[in-house]
Amino acid sequence: MTAAVSLIWLGLLPLLVQSLDFTYHNSSQLEAILKDFNSRYPAITYLYSIGKSVEGRDLWVFVVGKYPTKHTVGIPEFKYVANMHGNEAVGREILLHLIEYLLTNYQSNATVTQLVTNTRIHLLPSMNPDGFAASSPNDCDSVNGRFNKNGYDLNRNFPDAFEENKDPVQPETQAVMGWIKSETFVLSANFHGGAMVASYSYDNSYTVPPDNDVLMYLAQKYSENNLQMYSSNSCPGFSGFTNGITNGAVWYKVKGGMQDYNYIYNQCVEITLEVSCCKYPDPSTLQGFWNDNKVSVIEYIKQVHMGIKGQVLDMNGKPILNAIVDIQGRSRMCPYKTNKNGEYYFLLRPGTYTFKVSNKGTK
């Protein structure tokens, strides 16, 4: 099977005034905000917890989409995750403002309306609420609150394809792993702080991934819409990046990272977004960070529609689960398999590709 791939652009992004205050919100406040948004926009939102932190705080996920409560065939699943290091707090607030922006512009702005109609967008504002509770504003460099309550770095806690990870899997990590397995996520990004760069896989190997062109393109797409990130010299001591992007391992190797776990084991392309030089900057800077990232967060979500998608069906028109879909010259470490609906989603740059579909062991 040969397919030609092109990109679909959804238009320009206007700037609108937001009503959510620009300050940090603790776990109780965050929960109240999400529940309020859900109650005000029930037709296009869904709020659920994927589990609890060590100290019992819910890990809330907020969904925005025309079909918010469950997967719909042909509608790709997208996710943003923030605050997995509890003291890296800017991404947490960016996601709250993104939620408000999507909801208040749905049906009044063509770009947002098309994006919400054709995408199921999952937003996890805080993966490490215990760490956030132990952190303080204006702490730019320390590790206070970075780890979960048990003292583990959640971005070193996932299974690793290149090196055995012997650390016990933490409740927050287990919750995210179960969440990833429960959905057919296609594209993702996770927010961090302490630098300004978009980083892509692999994180724990210098091997070039089969989708390196796509990974670099996605990192570039986010960076080029964020002038501070794209300049590559916004943070003291970080001058080695070009156009605000880097390969993860080239920057520094990470064992047990969430980015590689998504890409290798779960067929979900993920990049890491470092969005602030200071890990937990003064709240007076939050509006500036939202303005810097507003276009980028929307443009990045759009990329879930690049490439090709389809279904693998048997002779009776029934979906085939776990059919292997392989692209010539782009074989992944773990073969790409269809979901229960027989669906596949491949993020690809424009070009011509040859697909091979196989279904071993199924009668």
Side-chain angles (χ1 to χ4, degrees), residues 16-236:
L16 296 179
V17 177
Q18 306 296 313
S19 59
L20 184 68
D21 55 339
F22 286 99
T23 189
Y24 293 108
H25 300 89
N26 64 31
S27 290
S28 296
Q29 293 167 332
L30 184 148
E31 179 178 339
I33 290 168
L34 296 180
K35 288 182 175 179
D36 179 60
F37 280 144
N38 181 223
S39 67
R40 287 160 54 195
Y41 300 90
I44 58 168
T45 68
Y46 179 53
L47 177 63
Y48 63 101
S49 172
I50 59 172
K52 293 184 181 293
S53 67
V54 173
E55 292 189 311
R57 295 180 172 91
D58 278 298
L59 305 180
W60 291 110
V61 173
F62 194 90
V63 179
V64 182
K66 186 176 180 179
Y67 311 101
T69 60
K70 62 181 181 180
H71 178 70
T72 300
V73 173
I75 302 294
E77 307 283 344
F78 176 94
K79 65 181 169 70
Y80 275 134
V81 176
N83 200 213
M84 72 183 304
H85 290 149
N87 63 332
E88 297 172 14
V90 173
R92 178 184 174 109
E93 299 303 324
I94 287 175
L95 291 194
L96 290 181
H97 285 277
L98 174 59
I99 290 169
E100 183 182 53
Y101 183 85
L102 293 172
L103 298 181
T104 57
N105 285 282
Y106 179 65
Q107 293 188 325
S108 63
N109 174 267
T111 297
V112 171
T113 302
Q114 189 171 1
L115 201 59
V116 172
T117 300
N118 297 309
T119 321
R120 190 163 174 243
I121 304 164
H122 304 246
L123 304 156
L124 172 56
S126 183
M127 182 179 164
N128 186 3
D130 297 351
F132 179 79
S135 307
S136 302
N138 299 304
D139 184 350
C140 294
D141 302 311
S142 84
V143 296
N144 295 332
R146 175 185 177 92
F147 309 107
N148 79 339
K149 184 63 177 179
N150 289 337
Y152 287 93
D153 187 329
L154 299 181
N155 204 33
R156 307 293 189 275
N157 196 231
F158 286 83
D160 193 289
F162 305 103
E163 185 178 358
E164 183 181 4
N165 191 351
K166 296 182 179 180
D167 287 344
V169 176
Q170 296 301 294
E172 298 89 348
T173 309
Q174 190 64 60
V176 169
M177 290 170 61
W179 177 43
I180 293 170
K181 295 292 186 183
S182 72
E183 300 285 354
T184 306
F185 287 116
V186 179
L187 180 61
S188 174
N190 70 87
F191 287 84
H192 289 260
M196 293 277 277
V197 68
S199 173
Y200 56 92
S201 287
Y202 294 125
D203 266 341
N204 199 24
S205 173
Y206 299 118
T207 306
V208 177
D211 299 293
N212 194 58
D213 58 336
V214 172
L215 293 165
M216 291 184 66
Y217 168 81
L218 291 168
Q220 187 75 59
K221 178 58 64 176
Y222 195 95
S223 174
E224 69 186 15
N225 287 288
N226 181 327
L227 181 60
Q228 296 299 316
M229 184 180 290
Y230 189 74
S231 69
S232 295
N233 58 6
S234 298
C235 301

Side-chain angles (χ1 to χ4, degrees), residues 290-302:
W290 167 240
N291 291 337
D292 289 342
N293 287 275
K294 177 161 45 178
V295 176
S296 292
V297 290
I298 294 292
E299 288 297 322
Y300 187 77
I301 298 173
K302 289 180 184 181

Side-chain angles (χ1 to χ4, degrees), residues 247-261:
N247 170 267
V250 170
W251 185 14
Y252 62 92
K253 294 182 77 173
V254 171
K255 181 179 76 172
M258 184 168 68
Q259 176 172 275
D260 282 0
Y261 175 76

